[in-house]
Amino acid sequence: MNKIAILDVDMIFISRLQMAMNNAYPNNYEFIFFSSAKKLRSALGKMDFDLLLINYEYIDNLNTIPKQVKTIILTESRSCVLESGEPTICKYQSVEEWHRFLCDFCALDMPLHESGNAYSMLTGGKLCLFTSASGGVGASSAAAAFCLHATSRGLSTVYLNVESIPSTSCFFKSNSYFDFGDVICALRSNKIDLDKTIEKSLVLDDTGVFFISPSKQCGGQQSISGEDVIKICDGIQRVKHFDLIVIDLNFVNASNIVLPFVNSSQTVIVSNGEKIVNEKTEKLFSILSSSCEMSMDAVCRKSSILYNRFVPGISELLTSNSYSKLGGINQMDFSEIHSSIVDISKLYPFERLLEMLNV
């Protein structure tokens, strides 16, 4: 039986992990939980563990952990990469993924920091998800503008619009023969190389932003699942390392948003401040909490609200202070879309978002 020590105060995560693993793999794992670094240090002198999992908020205590102890940092996003180079694992995995990871880690004969292995699911870069609880609030224009802002700061950036009816061609121009339909076809086929298809489909816009042209087939993007989105992101990073992938996703149901949300470093939820949109936005936070099996505090830590198409005197801010707010963009004339996107890209909320992403 593998003995796993966990330093974390997130009791929702701890209880669900223990219950799920004990039900699926009885007698395979023994979990020992510590609510403080002091209690853990005391136990390390008396007990041996096959693996130690530490919440990233306790990372300052790593220097007190003996080097021979195999240690992994628990994060709330698969795309989180620590500057220190310590191996990380996202809390929010399936039972099968947890079993596979724990088996691999416990089987190593050397400390993880000496193994040379990286355990992040993505091959690098960070994901930023833009979504909204209601249409017509400008989530796509905000996502495109953020891509322009990131590129202007020297970051290699991909705009990935996975909406059922994408607006990519409104922001970026392409004459490419390949499009999103080809990528989806490669996803569904065992005979088509996904990475090569993505490589052929990625287009560099004059603005410096990379993107994939929307499917030419009617309804060609309506069947994209959250799992598909992450597989495409993984493929993009295998083709070429990008600093940032910006996912533009319209919320349809819990199944299409859970994996992109869990894998994102930051999720931007766009609202225009209308009363009904604000109410839907609050419901979306609750859906994310229950569907991702995360506490509301954890959801709020990796999310922020951007007010777009805000009309002073009419639009309203959400009353709760729990949600992090990026700032606001007032209603603008979008008769000339590209110049409007360029203007928006220079605004402060996007600089703040880059700081939050730490890229």
Side-chain angles (χ1 to χ4, degrees):
M1 179 180 288
N2 293 309
K3 189 177 291 186
I4 314 295
I6 301 180
L7 174 59
D8 200 330
V9 293
D10 185 350
M11 292 308 300
I12 294 177
F13 158 71
I14 288 171
S15 60
R16 285 177 174 167
L17 176 64
Q18 183 177 35
M19 183 181 299
M21 296 304 291
N22 287 344
N23 288 339
Y25 305 99
N27 304 318
N28 278 33
Y29 303 102
E30 177 186 357
F31 293 97
I32 302 166
F33 305 107
F34 299 94
S35 58
S36 72
K38 183 178 180 180
K39 291 180 180 178
L40 172 64
R41 286 194 295 270
S42 176
L44 284 173
K46 306 170 186 176
M47 306 172 66
D48 291 324
F49 303 111
D50 295 293
L51 185 65
L52 172 60
L53 306 177
I54 297 183
N55 185 290
Y56 69 95
E57 294 182 354
Y58 290 94
I59 194 169
D60 291 341
N61 293 278
L62 279 180
N63 58 354
T64 66
I65 307 298
K67 290 294 184 182
Q68 68 270 20
V69 177
K70 289 182 283 189
T71 306
I72 263 194
I73 309 302
L74 285 167
T75 69
E76 294 181 3
S77 167
R78 296 195 194 207
S79 57
C80 178
V81 179
L82 301 179
E83 291 184 5
S84 62
E86 295 290 340
T88 63
I89 185 169
C90 176
K91 288 181 176 182
Y92 309 106
Q93 314 270 357
S94 68
V95 174
E96 292 76 16
E97 285 177 313
W98 265 111
H99 176 60
R100 185 173 68 250
F101 285 136
L102 292 176
C103 284
D104 289 345
F105 297 158
C106 293
L108 287 174
D109 293 328
M110 62 183 75
L112 294 179
H113 68 275
E114 296 178 3
S115 68
N117 292 328
Y119 300 105
S120 181
M121 292 298 288
L122 288 167
T123 54
K126 292 194 175 181
L127 300 186
C128 181
L129 172 65
F130 276 74
T131 190
S132 65
S134 179
V137 298
S140 292
S141 58
F146 177 56
C147 289
L148 293 183
H149 183 88
T151 302
S152 72
R153 294 293 186 269
L155 299 173
S156 55
T157 307
V158 179
Y159 172 73
L160 189 65
N161 190 312
V162 294
E163 295 179 309
S164 53
I165 305 178
S167 51
T168 310
S169 55
C170 295
F171 314 124
F172 308 110
K173 303 303 179 185
S174 167
N175 294 317
S176 174
Y177 174 80
F178 294 90
D179 61 31
F180 227 114
D182 297 295
V183 175
I184 295 170
C185 185
L187 268 175
R188 303 283 185 264
S189 172
N190 293 325
K191 298 180 180 180
I192 303 175
D193 189 300
L194 176 61
D195 290 2
K196 288 183 179 179
T197 304
I198 289 174
E199 185 175 15
K200 293 176 181 177
S201 302
L202 278 170
V203 180
L204 178 61
D205 185 70
D206 291 341
T207 59
V209 176
F210 285 84
F211 69 100
I212 299 176
S213 301
S215 175
K216 300 180 184 71
Q217 279 188 308
C218 181
Q221 295 189 207
Q222 291 184 0
S223 61
I224 299 177
S225 67
E227 184 179 1
D228 291 335
V229 174
I230 299 305
K231 286 180 178 178
I232 293 170
C233 290
D234 281 341
I236 288 172
Q237 291 292 47
R238 287 193 298 269
V239 167
K240 182 181 185 298
H241 174 77
F242 289 94
D243 298 312
L244 189 61
I245 299 178
V246 178
I247 303 171
D248 181 3
L249 178 150
N250 57 322
F251 170 68
V252 177
N253 51 49
S255 64
N256 87 313
I257 199 172
V258 167
L259 283 178
F261 178 80
V262 166
N263 282 277
S264 68
S265 295
Q266 273 291 314
T267 290
V268 179
I269 299 177
V270 183
S271 172
N272 62 1
E274 290 183 6
K275 184 176 180 180
I276 190 169
V277 177
N278 283 345
E279 289 178 357
K280 288 183 176 181
T281 300
E282 290 185 321
K283 289 180 181 177
L284 178 55
F285 273 93
S286 296
I287 290 170
L288 288 170
S289 177
S290 59
S291 301
C292 299
E293 298 187 347
M294 299 171 66
S295 67
M296 185 60 77
D297 285 344
V299 170
C300 290
R301 278 199 298 271
K302 64 180 300 179
S303 309
S304 52
I305 295 175
L306 173 67
Y307 291 98
N308 192 18
R309 301 183 179 176
F310 196 86
V311 182
I314 298 177
S315 301
E316 298 178 357
L317 301 179
L318 284 163
T319 55
S320 173
N321 293 321
S322 301
Y323 313 124
S324 174
K325 299 175 180 66
L326 278 176
I329 302 170
N330 288 341
Q331 178 72 274
M332 296 179 62
D333 177 14
F334 265 75
S335 57
E336 212 300 301
I337 295 178
H338 191 268
S339 62
S340 298
I341 294 300
V342 172
D343 290 341
I344 290 175
S345 71
K346 300 173 184 177
L347 299 179
Y348 172 73
F350 299 121
E351 185 64 27
R352 187 177 179 204
L353 179 56
L354 278 186
E355 292 173 358
M356 295 171 71
L357 285 163
N358 192 28
V359 289

